[in-house]
Amino acid sequence: MTQSNNQSSSRRDFLKVTTATAVGTGILSSLGSSAHVYAGGDDKIKVGLVGCGGRGTGAASQALSTKGNIKLEAMADAYRDRMDKSLSNLQKQFSGEPEKVDVAEEKKFVGFDAYQKLLDSGIDVVILATPPGFRPIHFGAAVEKGKHIFMEKPVATDVTGVKKVLEAAEKAKKKNLAVGVGLQRHHQAPYIETINRLKDGAIGDITSLRCYWNSGGVWEPRLAREDAKSEMDYQMRNWYYYNWLCGDHINEQHIHNIDVCNWVKDAFPVKAYGMGGRQVRTDKKYGEIYDHFAVEFVYEDGTRMYSQCRHIRNCWNSVTEHAQGTKGFCDISGAKYETTGGYKWKYRGPKKNPYQVEHDDLFEAIYKGTPYNEAEYGAKSTMTSILGRLATYSGKPVTWDEAMASEVSLMPKEFSWEAKPVTVPDENGFYPIPMPGITKVL
């Protein structure tokens, strides 16, 4: 399943209109009161936050820092302590503007159904920043309720979730709901300018792409098993290490780099071959995810994307993307390229924090009523990451169409602290680890 010509053209046209100067420097955020077409003349936007961890708190801060009358009015999380910490941090940050962070006790919602209560609390915009396994559920509910949405990446952890997001994205378009996705490189001036130049043929036809997120890994598991009130509690607190919640680090983290390559190609891979495993991070406390992946993605025109991601310390690290063309090569992440004729270019223009700019652009669209929907490419880049995981876990080539036909769901059948996740440990506390050549993924 590849991107249609119409989709390719619309994205290319969008990129040419929203140039590095316009998007990457935040010029789209210069709000004029005469342009406000929001809420029947009331320019106040009430924001609700679902998922009050570090990224959710950061996204709420960036939303409140946009130009406009923005107020955080409701919060929801599975855990009260996470919510209280987030609220305290935001109140400290905006202590000079306390009216921006004014969450009444009756608008603090806790539990698995907290998102539903928040969506019914009178908010206008919802920030979805829980572990990504919940994203399709929360996104679909927010669209049904007619809310504008910012959702963090990735937008799903399995194929079933991706399909739900794509379906909801179409409904959001019909309702003219603004939807932002946390793939912030799309709002980063050096990336925008560099990729526009690549699309204009700066290094000729793209023949291959490389991308990396090789690092020492992320946070250690936070909750010891003996301190957990249930298996659900244990996995929720240590969510990064469980596929129904995270999708493995090729999905949760490496999606950023994979998405850049898809952006360059204006397309999505049709096939993937992968290898990987769990070489160093083998303790049972690390759940069920791998610590390294190497995937070769194939686009419909035969172009290859070579992808690596690793969570192993004391190794060489790289979080980068690169393109090889018929007339040169490009360090995309470094915003520079060199042609075979010896011409060298490097981006030297203005730079702004892309995490802030992505919110500036979203709220600009909300105020003006401008069509704005990043859900489709967010879902398809999520699907690309999942495709790489499926090929690696199985040890077999997997096509996009084969994967998209899958009905496999990683999600629990019910959500409560007593409910059992799909994957549970054996009597020794170890989880089943995908074994290439044996594990069936479709």
Side-chain angles (χ1 to χ4, degrees):
M1 178 177 176
T2 58
Q3 192 177 38
S4 70
N5 290 334
N6 288 339
Q7 291 170 321
S8 298
S9 297
S10 63
R11 182 187 286 182
R12 190 176 297 113
D13 292 343
F14 174 78
L15 288 170
K16 288 185 181 296
V17 171
T18 54
T19 61
T21 302
V23 176
T25 62
I27 287 175
L28 278 174
S29 308
S30 55
L31 302 178
S33 58
S34 62
H36 291 188
V37 289
Y38 186 76
D42 180 3
D43 71 350
K44 181 171 73 173
I45 295 181
K46 295 173 285 186
V47 175
L49 171 61
V50 179
C52 302
R55 185 75 286 272
T57 304
S61 170
Q62 282 131 16
L64 294 171
S65 298
T66 60
K67 294 179 180 179
N69 187 4
I70 318 294
K71 176 186 175 183
L72 179 65
E73 193 165 282
M75 301 177 78
D77 199 281
Y79 294 101
R80 179 65 193 241
D81 62 302
R82 299 291 288 174
M83 180 192 301
D84 289 344
K85 181 179 179 181
S86 174
L87 180 57
S88 176
N89 288 337
L90 289 166
Q91 287 171 332
K92 289 176 184 176
Q93 182 179 350
F94 293 94
S95 59
E97 301 173 278
E99 71 281 358
K100 281 186 170 289
V101 185
D102 186 15
V103 184
E105 189 63 31
E106 63 269 20
K107 292 195 175 182
K108 298 175 184 176
F109 306 107
V110 179
F112 286 104
D113 63 349
Y115 74 97
Q116 295 171 325
K117 296 173 182 177
L118 180 139
L119 291 173
D120 288 332
S121 69
I123 54 100
D124 305 304
V125 179
V126 63
I127 296 170
L128 303 178
T130 62
F134 293 104
R135 201 83 72 243
I137 299 169
H138 295 171
F139 178 57
V143 170
E144 289 299 323
K145 293 291 185 178
K147 308 303 179 184
H148 300 294
I149 299 155
F150 175 82
M151 58 177 169
E152 263 303 336
K153 59 76 213 163
V155 301
T157 58
D158 59 23
V159 178
T160 302
V162 169
K163 289 189 280 193
K164 288 178 179 177
V165 171
L166 287 170
E167 181 181 355
E170 287 305 309
K171 292 181 180 179
K173 288 178 184 178
K174 292 176 182 177
K175 292 185 174 186
N176 197 29
L177 299 176
V179 180
V181 175
L183 292 165
Q184 77 282 350
R185 285 163 172 79
H186 287 266
H187 301 264
Q188 193 165 353
Y191 272 97
I192 296 168
E193 178 66 21
T194 301
I195 292 175
N196 279 343
R197 285 172 174 262
L198 292 180
K199 290 176 182 294
D200 287 338
I203 61 170
D205 295 331
I206 304 298
T207 57
S208 65
L209 295 147
R210 294 179 290 119
C211 61
Y212 307 88
W213 195 303
N214 289 339
S215 71
V218 294
W219 45 271
E220 287 286 298
R222 296 162 172 155
L223 182 67
R225 181 166 292 283
E226 57 269 23
D227 296 326
K229 58 187 177 185
S230 66
E231 179 64 27
M232 180 67 78
D233 181 40
Y234 182 73
Q235 292 193 20
M236 287 276 287
R237 288 285 191 179
N238 301 319
W239 65 268
Y240 206 99
Y241 297 93
Y242 299 93
N243 276 326
W244 73 274
L245 288 161
C246 165
D248 216 318
H249 62 101
I250 190 173
N251 185 49
E252 200 284 330
Q253 192 175 61
H254 190 37
I255 183 178
H256 281 298
N257 319 103
I258 288 171
D259 173 68
V260 166
C261 294
N262 288 341
W263 181 10
V264 170
K265 284 294 296 177
D266 262 336
F268 301 90
V270 297
K271 195 172 189 178
Y273 305 81
M275 61 184 297
R278 192 174 159 105
Q279 183 73 25
V280 174
R281 201 166 53 191
T282 57
D283 192 282
K284 57 188 176 184
K285 70 179 180 180
Y286 296 118
E288 59 181 335
I289 68 172
Y290 278 12
D291 57 22
H292 65 283
F293 290 81
V295 181
E296 179 179 339
F297 293 97
V298 185
Y299 291 93
E300 190 170 37
D301 65 1
T303 302
R304 258 63 173 175
M305 180 220 307
Y306 302 98
S307 149
Q308 292 182 23
C309 58
R310 176 183 17 85
H311 279 183
I312 300 175
R313 296 175 182 172
N314 301 314
C315 300
W316 69 274
N317 294 330
S318 179
V319 181
T320 59
E321 307 90 22
H322 308 264
Q324 181 69 46
T326 54
K327 298 179 181 179
F329 56 90
C330 179
D331 175 355
I332 306 168
S333 45
K336 57 185 179 181
Y337 63 80
E338 182 174 350
T339 70
T340 52
Y343 174 76
K344 296 181 180 181
W345 175 85
K346 180 174 176 60
Y347 178 82
R348 302 187 188 281
K351 299 177 183 179
K352 288 188 70 174
N353 179 356
Y355 292 97
Q356 183 58 54
V357 176
E358 66 181 347
H359 284 271
D360 293 343
D361 294 339
L362 172 63
F363 280 85
E364 163 80 356
I366 293 170
Y367 268 103
K368 289 187 173 182
T370 306
Y372 191 98
N373 194 315
E374 299 179 332
E376 184 176 351
Y377 77 71
K380 289 184 177 180
S381 280
T382 297
M383 183 61 211
T384 308
S385 302
I386 292 171
L387 182 66
R389 185 188 75 215
L390 297 176
T392 302
Y393 280 6
S394 67
K396 302 180 186 298
V398 179
T399 70
W400 182 283
D401 289 344
E402 288 170 344
M404 284 297 288
S406 171
E407 298 297 330
V408 174
S409 172
L410 303 180
M411 301 302 288
K413 296 189 182 304
E414 64 171 299
F415 296 100
S416 71
W417 296 119
E418 295 73 35
K420 292 290 186 184
V422 172
T423 302
V424 295
D426 63 19
E427 63 275 11
N428 296 313
F430 285 93
Y431 293 85
I433 307 301
M435 186 64 64
I438 298 176
T439 296
K440 295 186 183 299
V441 296
L442 299 175

